[in-house]
Amino acid sequence: DTAVSQTPKYLVTQMGNDKSIKCEQNLGHDTMYWYKQDSKKFLKIMFSYNNKELIINETVPNRFSPKSPDKAHLNLHINSLELGDSAVYFCASSLLTEVGEAFFGQGTRLTVV
Amino acid sequence: GDSVTQMEGPVTLSEEAFLTINCTYTATGYPSLFWYVQYPGEGLQLLLKATKADDKGSNKGFEATYRKETTSFHLEKGSVQVSDSAVYFCALKRGSQGNLIFGKGTKLSVKP
């Protein structure tokens, strides 16, 4: 049973399109995250939700909008895709405690052409 | 703000060599510290963690000790294998918001 699953694994799309990435966790965690990994492998937090409430919203263009319908799901919608959005996007979940480790999905490799 | 500085790679070793990847951090308070590993084409997996000073995390032959006095959490393994080839990330957890702050990653290649 996959702990954190995100779909799709690969996404190739044209500039200007709108796309969504879905994430689900079955670990009973109360907090979910989106991270972006750039071409140099650098990982940076984008958003975080705790019990469906947004708690982290880093400096990310407004074209990115997270949605959490319940605490087991966190989706990422991206409007008007740009070439610079090409990256690997990771979903993760954890308990909002100082010691709880995060579990990551397999990643979505987004390529904007 | 909080940050993690990690030894730049890539690191290339022969099988059975000793591995050290240096990691230091800057943070207010005493964050939990983690090492994650990313195998080619995969997501991140937790390798080990330490939640307070002098704790030693260990897993699969890898070890790291939380050193408050030097704000370090260096990763070590006595004898690497080809299967250890991956990118290794040091990270700290911000207690108030729960997100991880990562180092830039160190790519390890182990040759037979």
PDB file of all heavy atoms in Angstrom, chain B residues 18-57:
ATOM      1  N   PHE B  18      35.347   4.354   2.669  1.00  0.00           N
ATOM      2  CA  PHE B  18      34.667   5.053   3.756  1.00  0.00           C
ATOM      3  C   PHE B  18      34.036   6.328   3.210  1.00  0.00           C
ATOM      4  O   PHE B  18      34.642   7.048   2.418  1.00  0.00           O
ATOM      5  CB  PHE B  18      35.681   5.415   4.853  1.00  0.00           C
ATOM      6  CG  PHE B  18      35.064   6.041   6.064  1.00  0.00           C
ATOM      7  CD1 PHE B  18      34.529   5.249   7.073  1.00  0.00           C
ATOM      8  CD2 PHE B  18      35.010   7.432   6.206  1.00  0.00           C
ATOM      9  CE1 PHE B  18      33.955   5.832   8.200  1.00  0.00           C
ATOM     10  CE2 PHE B  18      34.443   8.017   7.324  1.00  0.00           C
ATOM     11  CZ  PHE B  18      33.904   7.212   8.324  1.00  0.00           C
ATOM     12  N   LEU B  19      32.825   6.587   3.665  1.00  0.00           N
ATOM     13  CA  LEU B  19      32.090   7.760   3.188  1.00  0.00           C
ATOM     14  C   LEU B  19      31.854   8.747   4.317  1.00  0.00           C
ATOM     15  O   LEU B  19      31.427   8.357   5.416  1.00  0.00           O
ATOM     16  CB  LEU B  19      30.723   7.333   2.628  1.00  0.00           C
ATOM     17  CG  LEU B  19      29.731   8.457   2.339  1.00  0.00           C
ATOM     18  CD1 LEU B  19      30.168   9.272   1.125  1.00  0.00           C
ATOM     19  CD2 LEU B  19      28.330   7.904   2.136  1.00  0.00           C
ATOM     20  N   THR B  20      32.114  10.023   4.040  1.00  0.00           N
ATOM     21  CA  THR B  20      31.653  11.109   4.899  1.00  0.00           C
ATOM     22  C   THR B  20      31.046  12.179   4.016  1.00  0.00           C
ATOM     23  O   THR B  20      31.674  12.596   3.036  1.00  0.00           O
ATOM     24  CB  THR B  20      32.814  11.758   5.703  1.00  0.00           C
ATOM     25  OG1 THR B  20      33.433  10.785   6.522  1.00  0.00           O
ATOM     26  CG2 THR B  20      32.286  12.880   6.575  1.00  0.00           C
ATOM     27  N   ILE B  21      29.843  12.609   4.359  1.00  0.00           N
ATOM     28  CA  ILE B  21      29.233  13.779   3.712  1.00  0.00           C
ATOM     29  C   ILE B  21      28.957  14.781   4.816  1.00  0.00           C
ATOM     30  O   ILE B  21      28.197  14.504   5.749  1.00  0.00           O
ATOM     31  CB  ILE B  21      27.932  13.430   2.967  1.00  0.00           C
ATOM     32  CG1 ILE B  21      28.187  12.381   1.894  1.00  0.00           C
ATOM     33  CG2 ILE B  21      27.343  14.694   2.349  1.00  0.00           C
ATOM     34  CD1 ILE B  21      26.933  11.926   1.149  1.00  0.00           C
ATOM     35  N   ASN B  22      29.592  15.947   4.713  1.00  0.00           N
ATOM     36  CA  ASN B  22      29.456  16.949   5.769  1.00  0.00           C
ATOM     37  C   ASN B  22      28.160  17.741   5.652  1.00  0.00           C
ATOM     38  O   ASN B  22      27.715  18.064   4.541  1.00  0.00           O
ATOM     39  CB  ASN B  22      30.628  17.927   5.729  1.00  0.00           C
ATOM     40  CG  ASN B  22      31.926  17.270   6.165  1.00  0.00           C
ATOM     41  OD1 ASN B  22      31.923  16.271   6.875  1.00  0.00           O
ATOM     42  ND2 ASN B  22      33.049  17.821   5.731  1.00  0.00           N
ATOM     43  N   CYS B  23      27.589  18.048   6.809  1.00  0.00           N
ATOM     44  CA  CYS B  23      26.366  18.847   6.866  1.00  0.00           C
ATOM     45  C   CYS B  23      26.415  19.714   8.107  1.00  0.00           C
ATOM     46  O   CYS B  23      26.655  19.212   9.215  1.00  0.00           O
ATOM     47  CB  CYS B  23      25.144  17.935   6.916  1.00  0.00           C
ATOM     48  SG  CYS B  23      23.598  18.804   7.229  1.00  0.00           S
ATOM     49  N   THR B  24      26.209  21.018   7.926  1.00  0.00           N
ATOM     50  CA  THR B  24      26.077  21.922   9.060  1.00  0.00           C
ATOM     51  C   THR B  24      24.787  22.707   8.896  1.00  0.00           C
ATOM     52  O   THR B  24      24.275  22.851   7.788  1.00  0.00           O
ATOM     53  CB  THR B  24      27.263  22.902   9.165  1.00  0.00           C
ATOM     54  OG1 THR B  24      27.366  23.633   7.934  1.00  0.00           O
ATOM     55  CG2 THR B  24      28.561  22.176   9.428  1.00  0.00           C
ATOM     56  N   TYR B  25      24.283  23.220  10.000  1.00  0.00           N
ATOM     57  CA  TYR B  25      23.006  23.911   9.941  1.00  0.00           C
ATOM     58  C   TYR B  25      23.047  25.204  10.747  1.00  0.00           C
ATOM     59  O   TYR B  25      23.881  25.376  11.638  1.00  0.00           O
ATOM     60  CB  TYR B  25      21.880  23.006  10.457  1.00  0.00           C
ATOM     61  CG  TYR B  25      21.974  22.703  11.939  1.00  0.00           C
ATOM     62  CD1 TYR B  25      21.358  23.518  12.887  1.00  0.00           C
ATOM     63  CD2 TYR B  25      22.710  21.612  12.384  1.00  0.00           C
ATOM     64  CE1 TYR B  25      21.470  23.260  14.237  1.00  0.00           C
ATOM     65  CE2 TYR B  25      22.827  21.339  13.739  1.00  0.00           C
ATOM     66  CZ  TYR B  25      22.211  22.160  14.659  1.00  0.00           C
ATOM     67  OH  TYR B  25      22.331  21.904  15.996  1.00  0.00           O
ATOM     68  N   THR B  26      22.130  26.084  10.412  1.00  0.00           N
ATOM     69  CA  THR B  26      21.884  27.312  11.175  1.00  0.00           C
ATOM     70  C   THR B  26      20.406  27.328  11.498  1.00  0.00           C
ATOM     71  O   THR B  26      19.571  27.201  10.586  1.00  0.00           O
ATOM     72  CB  THR B  26      22.239  28.564  10.353  1.00  0.00           C
ATOM     73  OG1 THR B  26      23.596  28.492   9.953  1.00  0.00           O
ATOM     74  CG2 THR B  26      21.999  29.825  11.162  1.00  0.00           C
ATOM     75  N   ALA B  27      20.065  27.450  12.768  1.00  0.00           N
ATOM     76  CA  ALA B  27      18.649  27.438  13.147  1.00  0.00           C
ATOM     77  C   ALA B  27      18.477  28.071  14.510  1.00  0.00           C
ATOM     78  O   ALA B  27      19.388  28.040  15.346  1.00  0.00           O
ATOM     79  CB  ALA B  27      18.112  26.010  13.165  1.00  0.00           C
ATOM     80  N   THR B  28      17.291  28.604  14.734  1.00  0.00           N
ATOM     81  CA  THR B  28      16.934  29.037  16.079  1.00  0.00           C
ATOM     82  C   THR B  28      16.393  27.817  16.810  1.00  0.00           C
ATOM     83  O   THR B  28      15.671  27.006  16.231  1.00  0.00           O
ATOM     84  CB  THR B  28      15.870  30.136  16.038  1.00  0.00           C
ATOM     85  OG1 THR B  28      14.786  29.683  15.209  1.00  0.00           O
ATOM     86  CG2 THR B  28      16.416  31.416  15.447  1.00  0.00           C
ATOM     87  N   GLY B  29      16.763  27.671  18.039  1.00  0.00           N
ATOM     88  CA  GLY B  29      16.312  26.517  18.798  1.00  0.00           C
ATOM     89  C   GLY B  29      17.056  25.253  18.388  1.00  0.00           C
ATOM     90  O   GLY B  29      18.158  25.314  17.847  1.00  0.00           O
ATOM     91  N   TYR B  30      16.420  24.120  18.632  1.00  0.00           N
ATOM     92  CA  TYR B  30      17.071  22.834  18.373  1.00  0.00           C
ATOM     93  C   TYR B  30      16.171  21.991  17.472  1.00  0.00           C
ATOM     94  O   TYR B  30      15.326  21.240  17.948  1.00  0.00           O
ATOM     95  CB  TYR B  30      17.339  22.134  19.710  1.00  0.00           C
ATOM     96  CG  TYR B  30      18.179  22.988  20.621  1.00  0.00           C
ATOM     97  CD1 TYR B  30      17.633  23.613  21.735  1.00  0.00           C
ATOM     98  CD2 TYR B  30      19.523  23.209  20.332  1.00  0.00           C
ATOM     99  CE1 TYR B  30      18.411  24.422  22.550  1.00  0.00           C
ATOM    100  CE2 TYR B  30      20.299  24.017  21.138  1.00  0.00           C
ATOM    101  CZ  TYR B  30      19.737  24.623  22.243  1.00  0.00           C
ATOM    102  OH  TYR B  30      20.496  25.432  23.044  1.00  0.00           O
ATOM    103  N   PRO B  31      16.381  22.142  16.181  1.00  0.00           N
ATOM    104  CA  PRO B  31      15.505  21.426  15.245  1.00  0.00           C
ATOM    105  C   PRO B  31      15.826  19.941  15.203  1.00  0.00           C
ATOM    106  O   PRO B  31      16.921  19.525  15.593  1.00  0.00           O
ATOM    107  CB  PRO B  31      15.857  22.081  13.905  1.00  0.00           C
ATOM    108  CG  PRO B  31      17.302  22.478  14.055  1.00  0.00           C
ATOM    109  CD  PRO B  31      17.442  22.912  15.501  1.00  0.00           C
ATOM    110  N   SER B  32      14.909  19.147  14.705  1.00  0.00           N
ATOM    111  CA  SER B  32      15.220  17.760  14.359  1.00  0.00           C
ATOM    112  C   SER B  32      16.003  17.770  13.051  1.00  0.00           C
ATOM    113  O   SER B  32      15.790  18.624  12.189  1.00  0.00           O
ATOM    114  CB  SER B  32      13.932  16.955  14.186  1.00  0.00           C
ATOM    115  OG  SER B  32      13.267  16.828  15.413  1.00  0.00           O
ATOM    116  N   LEU B  33      16.893  16.796  12.909  1.00  0.00           N
ATOM    117  CA  LEU B  33      17.757  16.722  11.730  1.00  0.00           C
ATOM    118  C   LEU B  33      17.553  15.388  11.025  1.00  0.00           C
ATOM    119  O   LEU B  33      17.321  14.359  11.673  1.00  0.00           O
ATOM    120  CB  LEU B  33      19.226  16.871  12.141  1.00  0.00           C
ATOM    121  CG  LEU B  33      19.573  18.170  12.857  1.00  0.00           C
ATOM    122  CD1 LEU B  33      21.020  18.135  13.356  1.00  0.00           C
ATOM    123  CD2 LEU B  33      19.366  19.373  11.944  1.00  0.00           C
ATOM    124  N   PHE B  34      17.654  15.415   9.720  1.00  0.00           N
ATOM    125  CA  PHE B  34      17.351  14.243   8.904  1.00  0.00           C
ATOM    126  C   PHE B  34      18.371  14.093   7.770  1.00  0.00           C
ATOM    127  O   PHE B  34      18.924  15.084   7.280  1.00  0.00           O
ATOM    128  CB  PHE B  34      15.962  14.369   8.250  1.00  0.00           C
ATOM    129  CG  PHE B  34      14.842  14.599   9.222  1.00  0.00           C
ATOM    130  CD1 PHE B  34      14.545  15.874   9.682  1.00  0.00           C
ATOM    131  CD2 PHE B  34      14.081  13.535   9.668  1.00  0.00           C
ATOM    132  CE1 PHE B  34      13.512  16.090  10.577  1.00  0.00           C
ATOM    133  CE2 PHE B  34      13.039  13.737  10.563  1.00  0.00           C
ATOM    134  CZ  PHE B  34      12.759  15.018  11.012  1.00  0.00           C
ATOM    135  N   TRP B  35      18.555  12.866   7.349  1.00  0.00           N
ATOM    136  CA  TRP B  35      19.179  12.572   6.071  1.00  0.00           C
ATOM    137  C   TRP B  35      18.167  11.804   5.229  1.00  0.00           C
ATOM    138  O   TRP B  35      17.597  10.809   5.688  1.00  0.00           O
ATOM    139  CB  TRP B  35      20.450  11.720   6.240  1.00  0.00           C
ATOM    140  CG  TRP B  35      21.652  12.529   6.584  1.00  0.00           C
ATOM    141  CD1 TRP B  35      22.213  12.718   7.815  1.00  0.00           C
ATOM    142  CD2 TRP B  35      22.474  13.270   5.674  1.00  0.00           C
ATOM    143  NE1 TRP B  35      23.320  13.529   7.729  1.00  0.00           N
ATOM    144  CE2 TRP B  35      23.493  13.880   6.431  1.00  0.00           C
ATOM    145  CE3 TRP B  35      22.457  13.473   4.281  1.00  0.00           C
ATOM    146  CZ2 TRP B  35      24.485  14.686   5.844  1.00  0.00           C
ATOM    147  CZ3 TRP B  35      23.431  14.266   3.708  1.00  0.00           C
ATOM    148  CH2 TRP B  35      24.437  14.860   4.488  1.00  0.00           C
ATOM    149  N   TYR B  36      17.952  12.332   4.020  1.00  0.00           N
ATOM    150  CA  TYR B  36      17.107  11.657   3.042  1.00  0.00           C
ATOM    151  C   TYR B  36      17.983  11.205   1.879  1.00  0.00           C
ATOM    152  O   TYR B  36      19.000  11.829   1.565  1.00  0.00           O
ATOM    153  CB  TYR B  36      16.019  12.603   2.518  1.00  0.00           C
ATOM    154  CG  TYR B  36      14.846  12.752   3.446  1.00  0.00           C
ATOM    155  CD1 TYR B  36      14.872  13.665   4.501  1.00  0.00           C
ATOM    156  CD2 TYR B  36      13.689  11.976   3.278  1.00  0.00           C
ATOM    157  CE1 TYR B  36      13.780  13.798   5.357  1.00  0.00           C
ATOM    158  CE2 TYR B  36      12.610  12.106   4.129  1.00  0.00           C
ATOM    159  CZ  TYR B  36      12.663  13.019   5.169  1.00  0.00           C
ATOM    160  OH  TYR B  36      11.587  13.142   6.017  1.00  0.00           O
ATOM    161  N   VAL B  37      17.534  10.141   1.195  1.00  0.00           N
ATOM    162  CA  VAL B  37      18.255   9.642   0.035  1.00  0.00           C
ATOM    163  C   VAL B  37      17.295   9.567  -1.155  1.00  0.00           C
ATOM    164  O   VAL B  37      16.113   9.234  -0.991  1.00  0.00           O
ATOM    165  CB  VAL B  37      18.898   8.261   0.325  1.00  0.00           C
ATOM    166  CG1 VAL B  37      17.872   7.222   0.738  1.00  0.00           C
ATOM    167  CG2 VAL B  37      19.687   7.767  -0.887  1.00  0.00           C
ATOM    168  N   GLN B  38      17.805   9.950  -2.307  1.00  0.00           N
ATOM    169  CA  GLN B  38      17.002   9.905  -3.538  1.00  0.00           C
ATOM    170  C   GLN B  38      17.748   9.055  -4.558  1.00  0.00           C
ATOM    171  O   GLN B  38      18.792   9.467  -5.079  1.00  0.00           O
ATOM    172  CB  GLN B  38      16.766  11.310  -4.076  1.00  0.00           C
ATOM    173  CG  GLN B  38      15.851  11.344  -5.294  1.00  0.00           C
ATOM    174  CD  GLN B  38      15.571  12.761  -5.784  1.00  0.00           C
ATOM    175  OE1 GLN B  38      16.352  13.682  -5.577  1.00  0.00           O
ATOM    176  NE2 GLN B  38      14.430  12.941  -6.435  1.00  0.00           N
ATOM    177  N   TYR B  39      17.206   7.876  -4.833  1.00  0.00           N
ATOM    178  CA  TYR B  39      17.776   7.014  -5.869  1.00  0.00           C
ATOM    179  C   TYR B  39      17.292   7.511  -7.231  1.00  0.00           C
ATOM    180  O   TYR B  39      16.239   8.164  -7.325  1.00  0.00           O
ATOM    181  CB  TYR B  39      17.390   5.556  -5.632  1.00  0.00           C
ATOM    182  CG  TYR B  39      17.932   5.013  -4.329  1.00  0.00           C
ATOM    183  CD1 TYR B  39      17.118   4.881  -3.216  1.00  0.00           C
ATOM    184  CD2 TYR B  39      19.272   4.659  -4.210  1.00  0.00           C
ATOM    185  CE1 TYR B  39      17.618   4.412  -2.010  1.00  0.00           C
ATOM    186  CE2 TYR B  39      19.784   4.191  -3.012  1.00  0.00           C
ATOM    187  CZ  TYR B  39      18.946   4.072  -1.918  1.00  0.00           C
ATOM    188  OH  TYR B  39      19.448   3.616  -0.725  1.00  0.00           O
ATOM    189  N   PRO B  40      18.033   7.222  -8.284  1.00  0.00           N
ATOM    190  CA  PRO B  40      17.680   7.753  -9.609  1.00  0.00           C
ATOM    191  C   PRO B  40      16.230   7.486  -9.978  1.00  0.00           C
ATOM    192  O   PRO B  40      15.747   6.353  -9.895  1.00  0.00           O
ATOM    193  CB  PRO B  40      18.648   7.014 -10.534  1.00  0.00           C
ATOM    194  CG  PRO B  40      19.826   6.697  -9.682  1.00  0.00           C
ATOM    195  CD  PRO B  40      19.270   6.430  -8.310  1.00  0.00           C
ATOM    196  N   GLY B  41      15.535   8.537 -10.373  1.00  0.00           N
ATOM    197  CA  GLY B  41      14.153   8.409 -10.835  1.00  0.00           C
ATOM    198  C   GLY B  41      13.129   8.164  -9.752  1.00  0.00           C
ATOM    199  O   GLY B  41      11.967   7.885 -10.051  1.00  0.00           O
ATOM    200  N   GLU B  42      13.540   8.286  -8.492  1.00  0.00           N
ATOM    201  CA  GLU B  42      12.612   7.996  -7.397  1.00  0.00           C
ATOM    202  C   GLU B  42      12.401   9.215  -6.508  1.00  0.00           C
ATOM    203  O   GLU B  42      13.050  10.246  -6.655  1.00  0.00           O
ATOM    204  CB  GLU B  42      13.138   6.828  -6.566  1.00  0.00           C
ATOM    205  CG  GLU B  42      13.227   5.532  -7.348  1.00  0.00           C
ATOM    206  CD  GLU B  42      13.588   4.351  -6.465  1.00  0.00           C
ATOM    207  OE1 GLU B  42      13.547   4.486  -5.223  1.00  0.00           O
ATOM    208  OE2 GLU B  42      13.924   3.298  -7.028  1.00  0.00           O
ATOM    209  N   GLY B  43      11.476   9.055  -5.564  1.00  0.00           N
ATOM    210  CA  GLY B  43      11.240  10.096  -4.578  1.00  0.00           C
ATOM    211  C   GLY B  43      12.251  10.021  -3.453  1.00  0.00           C
ATOM    212  O   GLY B  43      13.195   9.232  -3.500  1.00  0.00           O
ATOM    213  N   LEU B  44      12.056  10.843  -2.441  1.00  0.00           N
ATOM    214  CA  LEU B  44      12.969  10.856  -1.300  1.00  0.00           C
ATOM    215  C   LEU B  44      12.549   9.841  -0.263  1.00  0.00           C
ATOM    216  O   LEU B  44      11.361   9.707   0.037  1.00  0.00           O
ATOM    217  CB  LEU B  44      12.996  12.242  -0.648  1.00  0.00           C
ATOM    218  CG  LEU B  44      13.831  13.285  -1.357  1.00  0.00           C
ATOM    219  CD1 LEU B  44      13.068  13.887  -2.512  1.00  0.00           C
ATOM    220  CD2 LEU B  44      14.237  14.384  -0.393  1.00  0.00           C
ATOM    221  N   GLN B  45      13.551   9.157   0.288  1.00  0.00           N
ATOM    222  CA  GLN B  45      13.300   8.210   1.367  1.00  0.00           C
ATOM    223  C   GLN B  45      14.084   8.663   2.591  1.00  0.00           C
ATOM    224  O   GLN B  45      15.235   9.069   2.470  1.00  0.00           O
ATOM    225  CB  GLN B  45      13.798   6.815   0.980  1.00  0.00           C
ATOM    226  CG  GLN B  45      13.165   6.222  -0.254  1.00  0.00           C
ATOM    227  CD  GLN B  45      13.803   4.901  -0.609  1.00  0.00           C
ATOM    228  OE1 GLN B  45      14.341   4.183   0.245  1.00  0.00           O
ATOM    229  NE2 GLN B  45      13.780   4.566  -1.887  1.00  0.00           N
ATOM    230  N   LEU B  46      13.448   8.538   3.742  1.00  0.00           N
ATOM    231  CA  LEU B  46      14.167   8.860   4.966  1.00  0.00           C
ATOM    232  C   LEU B  46      15.263   7.827   5.192  1.00  0.00           C
ATOM    233  O   LEU B  46      15.013   6.617   5.173  1.00  0.00           O
ATOM    234  CB  LEU B  46      13.210   8.852   6.152  1.00  0.00           C
ATOM    235  CG  LEU B  46      13.859   9.105   7.501  1.00  0.00           C
ATOM    236  CD1 LEU B  46      14.359  10.553   7.589  1.00  0.00           C
ATOM    237  CD2 LEU B  46      12.868   8.831   8.641  1.00  0.00           C
ATOM    238  N   LEU B  47      16.468   8.293   5.423  1.00  0.00           N
ATOM    239  CA  LEU B  47      17.583   7.397   5.712  1.00  0.00           C
ATOM    240  C   LEU B  47      17.774   7.264   7.223  1.00  0.00           C
ATOM    241  O   LEU B  47      17.863   6.172   7.761  1.00  0.00           O
ATOM    242  CB  LEU B  47      18.853   7.919   5.056  1.00  0.00           C
ATOM    243  CG  LEU B  47      20.113   7.058   5.188  1.00  0.00           C
ATOM    244  CD1 LEU B  47      19.909   5.673   4.617  1.00  0.00           C
ATOM    245  CD2 LEU B  47      21.296   7.753   4.518  1.00  0.00           C
ATOM    246  N   LEU B  48      17.848   8.412   7.908  1.00  0.00           N
ATOM    247  CA  LEU B  48      17.968   8.391   9.359  1.00  0.00           C
ATOM    248  C   LEU B  48      17.619   9.769   9.905  1.00  0.00           C
ATOM    249  O   LEU B  48      17.544  10.740   9.159  1.00  0.00           O
ATOM    250  CB  LEU B  48      19.374   7.965   9.795  1.00  0.00           C
ATOM    251  CG  LEU B  48      20.560   8.706   9.211  1.00  0.00           C
ATOM    252  CD1 LEU B  48      20.883   9.986   9.972  1.00  0.00           C
ATOM    253  CD2 LEU B  48      21.809   7.808   9.192  1.00  0.00           C
ATOM    254  N   LYS B  49      17.421   9.809  11.227  1.00  0.00           N
ATOM    255  CA  LYS B  49      17.087  11.091  11.843  1.00  0.00           C
ATOM    256  C   LYS B  49      17.631  11.146  13.263  1.00  0.00           C
ATOM    257  O   LYS B  49      17.951  10.109  13.865  1.00  0.00           O
ATOM    258  CB  LYS B  49      15.579  11.311  11.849  1.00  0.00           C
ATOM    259  CG  LYS B  49      14.829  10.444  12.849  1.00  0.00           C
ATOM    260  CD  LYS B  49      13.342  10.818  12.872  1.00  0.00           C
ATOM    261  CE  LYS B  49      12.626  10.076  13.993  1.00  0.00           C
ATOM    262  NZ  LYS B  49      11.171  10.416  14.043  1.00  0.00           N
ATOM    263  N   ALA B  50      17.713  12.374  13.783  1.00  0.00           N
ATOM    264  CA  ALA B  50      18.077  12.596  15.180  1.00  0.00           C
ATOM    265  C   ALA B  50      17.287  13.795  15.671  1.00  0.00           C
ATOM    266  O   ALA B  50      17.149  14.787  14.947  1.00  0.00           O
ATOM    267  CB  ALA B  50      19.580  12.848  15.318  1.00  0.00           C
ATOM    268  N   THR B  51      16.730  13.695  16.850  1.00  0.00           N
ATOM    269  CA  THR B  51      15.804  14.729  17.306  1.00  0.00           C
ATOM    270  C   THR B  51      16.351  15.608  18.426  1.00  0.00           C
ATOM    271  O   THR B  51      15.732  16.608  18.770  1.00  0.00           O
ATOM    272  CB  THR B  51      14.481  14.102  17.765  1.00  0.00           C
ATOM    273  OG1 THR B  51      14.765  13.180  18.825  1.00  0.00           O
ATOM    274  CG2 THR B  51      13.815  13.370  16.611  1.00  0.00           C
ATOM    275  N   LYS B  52      17.489  15.231  19.019  1.00  0.00           N
ATOM    276  CA  LYS B  52      18.077  16.093  20.029  1.00  0.00           C
ATOM    277  C   LYS B  52      19.580  15.918  20.061  1.00  0.00           C
ATOM    278  O   LYS B  52      20.126  14.952  19.511  1.00  0.00           O
ATOM    279  CB  LYS B  52      17.471  15.820  21.399  1.00  0.00           C
ATOM    280  CG  LYS B  52      17.642  14.414  21.909  1.00  0.00           C
ATOM    281  CD  LYS B  52      16.917  14.258  23.238  1.00  0.00           C
ATOM    282  CE  LYS B  52      17.214  12.918  23.887  1.00  0.00           C
ATOM    283  NZ  LYS B  52      16.787  11.762  23.096  1.00  0.00           N
ATOM    284  N   ALA B  53      20.230  16.848  20.736  1.00  0.00           N
ATOM    285  CA  ALA B  53      21.685  16.866  20.786  1.00  0.00           C
ATOM    286  C   ALA B  53      22.237  15.529  21.289  1.00  0.00           C
ATOM    287  O   ALA B  53      21.691  14.925  22.216  1.00  0.00           O
ATOM    288  CB  ALA B  53      22.168  18.008  21.663  1.00  0.00           C
ATOM    289  N   ASP B  54      23.301  15.090  20.628  1.00  0.00           N
ATOM    290  CA  ASP B  54      24.043  13.867  20.948  1.00  0.00           C
ATOM    291  C   ASP B  54      23.315  12.590  20.512  1.00  0.00           C
ATOM    292  O   ASP B  54      23.861  11.498  20.668  1.00  0.00           O
ATOM    293  CB  ASP B  54      24.408  13.775  22.433  1.00  0.00           C
ATOM    294  CG  ASP B  54      25.282  14.921  22.869  1.00  0.00           C
ATOM    295  OD1 ASP B  54      26.123  15.367  22.070  1.00  0.00           O
ATOM    296  OD2 ASP B  54      25.117  15.397  24.009  1.00  0.00           O
ATOM    297  N   ASP B  55      22.113  12.717  19.967  1.00  0.00           N
ATOM    298  CA  ASP B  55      21.437  11.552  19.391  1.00  0.00           C
ATOM    299  C   ASP B  55      22.241  11.059  18.196  1.00  0.00           C
ATOM    300  O   ASP B  55      22.751  11.851  17.415  1.00  0.00           O
ATOM    301  CB  ASP B  55      20.044  11.941  18.870  1.00  0.00           C
ATOM    302  CG  ASP B  55      18.956  11.666  19.865  1.00  0.00           C
ATOM    303  OD1 ASP B  55      19.266  11.231  20.984  1.00  0.00           O
ATOM    304  OD2 ASP B  55      17.785  11.890  19.510  1.00  0.00           O
ATOM    305  N   LYS B  56      22.282   9.750  18.022  1.00  0.00           N
ATOM    306  CA  LYS B  56      22.882   9.175  16.820  1.00  0.00           C
ATOM    307  C   LYS B  56      21.792   8.461  16.056  1.00  0.00           C
ATOM    308  O   LYS B  56      21.129   7.574  16.586  1.00  0.00           O
ATOM    309  CB  LYS B  56      24.003   8.191  17.174  1.00  0.00           C
ATOM    310  CG  LYS B  56      24.627   7.534  15.955  1.00  0.00           C
ATOM    311  CD  LYS B  56      25.614   6.431  16.323  1.00  0.00           C
ATOM    312  CE  LYS B  56      26.968   7.002  16.631  1.00  0.00           C
ATOM    313  NZ  LYS B  56      28.001   5.939  16.789  1.00  0.00           N
ATOM    314  N   GLY B  57      21.603   8.858  14.806  1.00  0.00           N
ATOM    315  CA  GLY B  57      20.690   8.142  13.926  1.00  0.00           C
ATOM    316  C   GLY B  57      21.481   7.124  13.133  1.00  0.00           C
ATOM    317  O   GLY B  57      22.632   7.371  12.762  1.00  0.00           O
TER     318      GLY B  57
END
